[in-house]
Amino acid sequence: MQRSTISMFAQLVQLMGGKIEFQNLVNKYQSDKGAKGLTTWSQFIAMLFCQLTGADSLREISDGLYSSLGKLSHLGATAVCRSTLS
């Protein structure tokens, strides 16, 4: 039997309620109503990643998200380009 490990980042997201509770709030307040490319969830994950890693620039955020893309996929998040973040 193979054990799966959950990253510390995913554990923190779960402590905050996870994607389902977050999506309920997004639907309640319609924050994704006019969004075309960047969803509220992806922005939340990017900003949480920025705060936890102490990133100082958009390049650090986007490169860090791209380097941990495999760990983000199970959270339902994607890496975000610098131009999208700006």
Side-chain angles (χ1 to χ4, degrees):
M1 181 183 219
Q2 186 178 16
R3 290 177 35 184
S4 62
T5 58
I6 300 175
S7 67
M8 188 175 289
F9 187 73
Q11 290 175 16
L12 286 172
V13 171
Q14 285 178 351
L15 284 174
M16 293 179 196
K19 187 174 182 178
I20 296 172
E21 188 174 330
F22 189 87
Q23 193 61 39
N24 289 337
L25 292 171
V26 167
N27 293 338
K28 180 179 178 181
Y29 295 106
Q30 299 179 352
S31 62
D32 273 347
K33 187 176 181 180
K36 293 183 181 178
L38 184 64
T39 63
T40 307
W41 178 251
S42 294
Q43 183 179 9
F44 171 70
I45 293 296
M47 294 300 104
L48 183 63
F49 184 84
C50 169
Q51 287 294 313
L52 294 176
T53 59
D56 292 328
S57 66
L58 293 175
R59 184 178 302 270
E60 284 183 54
I61 298 169
S62 69
D63 289 348
L65 289 171
Y66 275 111
S67 70
S68 59
L69 192 58
K71 295 176 183 174
L72 293 176
S73 63
H74 68 277
L75 289 174
T78 59
V80 183
C81 296
R82 284 190 326 258
S83 60
T84 306
L85 281 174
S86 67

